[in-house]
Amino acid sequence: MPEGDTVFLAGKLLDKALAGKTLLRGEFRHPALATVDLSGRDVLGVGTVGKHLFTRFSGDLTLHSHLRMDGSWEIYRAGAKWRTPAHHARVVLATADVQAIGFRLHDLELVPSAEAHDLVAHLGPDLLDPQWTDEHAARATAALGAEPDRELGEALLDQRIMAGVGNLYKVEICFLLGVSPWTPVSEVDAAKAVALARKLLLANAWRHEQVTTGDLARGRRTWVYERSRSGCFRCGARVRVAGQGDGVRRRPTWFCPRCQPGPHPED
């Protein structure tokens, strides 16, 4: 599932491409919205909250979309050929000079703009909220520490605590805190974890590359995430990977036993 910074950047690019323009084509290839035609509406703007994306149109209408595991928005000049096969397209928004195509979007809703916030009211503070304050940090810190026995890795992925952390940042935050992802929340500094999460997402919000080490070179961008073959970027030891979470929430979780003491699954 995309990280919050990926969705944030997609929203900014869509806003730059569409905001202030009139749709010549606005169609859905989605069963629940197949009869809706947005052509003639003005695009008022595009924004994000955590991993949720909102496109606002004239006439008090907002499109809510979520990328889930494989969704994406792609932007093309008018008339350009799409890189992704057309049968994967779920939304087509086209103006006189640009087309924005939503591919493999499973979650799509059109709601009155005044009700859009209700769709994300259950989320914790958005780590990329431009109006972030100490109060947001305090809320997230309190929520993270509310279940002291919960495994840190699972808690970091809970969007009700703070919105935006995905599996990559979960893994890297645990590494930078120097603890195993299976460590109970009670054994870490919750305020430090929240601050680190926001710092990492902010650092990557305006670029496609996701880097936690400070090194943009390919193969050197993360400390342990997807480094089972290359080893820990800090100490060179073998990086292990194990599943964390139950059912559909289970995620591959990388960690360095040498740099990250604490509980972890046995070989």
Side-chain angles (χ1 to χ4, degrees):
M1 187 175 292
E3 310 283 335
D5 55 346
T6 300
V7 179
F8 175 87
L9 182 57
K12 291 300 181 183
L13 294 176
L14 284 169
D15 186 73
K16 182 179 179 180
L18 297 173
K21 299 177 181 179
T22 301
L23 293 179
L24 301 182
R25 185 180 176 191
E27 66 182 53
F28 295 89
R29 302 175 183 182
H30 186 277
L33 300 172
T35 61
V36 176
D37 182 1
L38 296 178
S39 60
R41 292 183 184 265
D42 298 326
V43 181
L44 303 182
V46 182
T48 58
V49 178
K51 301 181 181 184
H52 300 256
L53 195 149
F54 295 90
T55 306
R56 294 182 295 111
F57 305 101
S58 58
D60 188 37
L61 200 60
T62 292
L63 172 64
H64 166 243
S65 60
H66 195 295
L67 303 184
R68 293 298 172 188
M69 294 297 293
D70 56 352
S72 65
W73 280 93
E74 298 178 12
I75 300 170
Y76 301 89
R77 68 180 186 278
K81 183 179 179 180
W82 303 344
R83 293 183 298 275
T84 302
H87 68 269
H88 289 308
R90 297 294 177 265
V91 186
V92 178
L93 304 177
T95 69
D97 61 346
V98 70
Q99 44 184 338
I101 316 299
F103 292 103
R104 303 185 185 90
L105 299 178
H106 307 288
D107 294 354
L108 289 170
E109 297 175 87
L110 273 173
V111 298
S113 294
E115 299 176 9
H117 183 265
D118 295 343
L119 299 174
V120 291
H122 64 289
L123 298 179
D126 178 5
L127 289 164
L128 290 174
D129 186 341
Q131 305 302 318
W132 181 273
T133 65
D134 290 343
E135 191 274 334
H136 290 94
R139 280 176 52 205
T141 299
L144 183 58
E147 296 183 66
D149 295 332
R150 194 176 188 184
E151 294 175 358
L152 177 61
E154 285 196 19
L156 289 173
L157 288 181
D158 190 338
Q159 303 300 294
R160 298 170 299 177
I161 292 174
M162 51 184 169
V165 174
N167 201 46
L168 183 154
Y169 289 122
K170 175 201 85 170
V171 166
E172 296 292 282
I173 290 168
C174 291
F175 177 86
L176 290 169
L177 290 173
V179 298
S180 156
W182 291 267
T183 299
V185 169
S186 60
E187 296 183 17
V188 302
D189 184 334
K192 185 176 181 180
V194 171
L196 186 56
R198 177 163 161 79
K199 178 181 178 180
L200 291 178
L201 265 72
L202 280 173
N204 293 300
W206 292 94
R207 63 186 175 205
H208 292 287
E209 300 84 4
Q210 291 168 312
V211 180
T212 60
T213 62
D215 192 332
L216 283 165
R218 187 178 296 275
R220 300 175 62 85
R221 296 174 183 169
T222 60
W223 295 100
V224 289
Y225 182 78
E226 294 188 339
R227 293 186 63 88
S228 300
R229 295 183 179 181
S230 52
C232 174
F233 189 68
R234 174 181 288 165
C235 74
R238 181 173 72 93
V239 168
R240 289 187 53 201
V241 59
Q244 184 175 31
D246 298 320
V248 297
R249 298 183 183 276
R250 191 171 180 82
R251 297 288 182 270
T253 301
W254 290 263
F255 65 102
C256 173
R258 180 182 295 175
C259 295
Q260 296 173 261
H264 55 74
E266 297 299 326
D267 288 320

